[in-house]
Amino acid sequence: MYPNDFRYTKEHEWIKVAGDEALVGVTDFAQHQLGDIIYVELPPVGKELAPRQSVGVIESVKSVSDIYAPVAGEVVAVNEALVQTADLINKDPHGKGWIVRLKIKDKKEIDGLMTAGDYEKFLEGLEH
């Protein structure tokens, strides 16, 4: 269910690395927990982020949640489509619902994140 070429955090973000950049979004599990997403606060392009620093906020009909950077990096692009259509995260959380693109500072940080299999085991632990 979760793409094998992504890495995952315990806060339910995903990262898909391509070269020295990566897309970041929230997982299918996260969007299910949030419910209908109505607003996404995006960071400014150029913002420097530390690992686990808040990237922005997702607001749903149920709650408001921070989105955290899985690794350190600079925001090089944001998904402007989310401004008009925040529910893209509900419809396609691992695709068109990406949130930011980061220029990664240290690719070694990726190694500390969960694989798809690790993340699925982590989720099983939450359900019990």
Side-chain angles (χ1 to χ4, degrees), residues 6 14 23 79 88 92-99:
F6 290 19
W14 58 259
L23 290 179
N79 188 349
L88 276 174
D92 190 8
H94 300 138
K96 292 179 181 164
W98 66 275
I99 297 167

Side-chain angles (χ1 to χ4, degrees), residues 9 19 30 33-34 36 41 65 68 70 82-83 89-90 99 119:
T9 70
Q33 296 293 92
L34 288 164
D36 294 333
E41 176 189 281
S65 300
Y68 298 101
L82 297 176
V83 174
I89 295 172
N90 293 120
I99 297 167
Y119 183 66

Side-chain angles (χ1 to χ4, degrees), residues 107-124:
K107 287 183 94 172
K108 290 180 191 152
E109 290 178 355
I110 303 294
D111 297 336
L113 301 174
M114 291 183 276
T115 64
D118 293 339
Y119 183 66
E120 287 170 5
K121 285 181 189 141
F122 173 72
L123 291 179
E124 286 172 19

Side-chain angles (χ1 to χ4, degrees), residues 26-82:
V26 298
T27 65
D28 186 58
F29 176 86
Q31 71 83 18
H32 273 293
Q33 296 293 92
L34 288 164
D36 294 333
I37 295 168
I38 54 175
Y39 175 74
V40 180
E41 176 189 281
L42 299 168
V45 170
K47 182 173 183 170
E48 294 280 340
L49 297 166
R52 296 182 188 81
Q53 181 179 347
S54 179
V55 171
V57 173
I58 292 179
E59 187 175 332
S60 72
V61 292
K62 290 187 198 175
S63 67
V64 176
S65 300
D66 280 308
I67 310 153
Y68 298 101
V71 297
E74 177 188 346
V75 176
V76 293
V78 295
N79 188 349
E80 295 287 350
L82 297 176

